[in-house]
Amino acid sequence: MTHLPRPSTEAILDALPGLAPFAREAVVLHPERGEPSPRDSSIGGPLLWPSDEPWPLCSLPDETNPEGLPATAMVPVAQIFERDVPGPWWPADTDLLQVLWCPNEHWDPPAQQADVSPVVEVRRRRAADVDSCLVAPPSPSRHSEDGYLPQACTFTGEPLTDFPFREELPPELRPALEELVRTTGDGGDVITRVAGWKLGGWPTWHLTHPMVLRCRTCDTEMTLLFTVASDAVTEVIVGRWGDLRIFACPVDHRHPFEVDLH
């Protein structure tokens, strides 16, 4: 997880003004173990879930059960209220983002999901519309990895301006960016590789070449919505201590999201 030292946005843009058109708002979430309630923003905590709405189940084949049956309950990964993390990622009609996943590895999931990783469910809603909260959601009947069971945490949000990985930038900007990275921080790239639990911003592509994910409904280039990070506090481990990223259509949040494992 990235813990700044990181130059201010002003200092970065003073050194490399050409980055300005690529700036995106982001918030890095620094988790701390706690006891959040359903009306708190959290990682791995209880969700503000309507008591009359079915809890998400997964019946897809997985590593521990090739038949995928009986269906197993999904588990909460994150809940974020707009009041705690304001930004451009909130459609006008929602103020609550909820992420769940099936705590099993799926080797041949639906096209929008990532291979060899949990199957993800994303819900957006208005908190005021939840009149009665589900008190005791079902527990999963099986899980293939302990790292897919996030521990309940509160978090502190750190707003910042994020910039794309160098290979997503025009070639003429890359030499100056590499020099800025070389002379900044603690030897790592804290300019374009802001990792960790993150809402918004840019994805990191340090393991593979950048990919463009396009909306399956309208063919618009998708943007990063949320990053699930491997870390010791939440006890989440995805991939080889990697990140699971959720991309969304910037035109319409109701279009299907896309999941990538990095």
Side-chain angles (χ1 to χ4, degrees), residues 80-127:
I80 303 173
F81 289 87
E82 181 182 19
R83 64 172 187 260
D84 298 320
V85 192
W89 34 77
W90 295 105
D93 57 344
T94 70
D95 60 3
L96 177 58
L97 174 68
Q98 296 171 323
V99 179
L100 307 90
W101 67 23
C102 172
N104 295 283
E105 287 189 347
H106 297 79
W107 291 78
D108 189 22
Q112 75 185 95
Q113 303 284 348
D115 284 332
V116 198
S117 64
V119 165
V120 173
E121 181 80 13
V122 176
R123 297 291 174 93
R124 291 183 180 268
R125 63 176 88 247
R126 285 175 48 85

Side-chain angles (χ1 to χ4, degrees), residues 5 24 27 34-35 46 66 102-103 128 147 154 156 173 180-181 206 211 218 248 250:
R24 286 183 184 172
V27 177
E35 297 182 359
C102 172
T154 58
T156 301
L173 291 179
L180 178 61
V181 168
H206 53 287
M211 296 186 300
C218 67

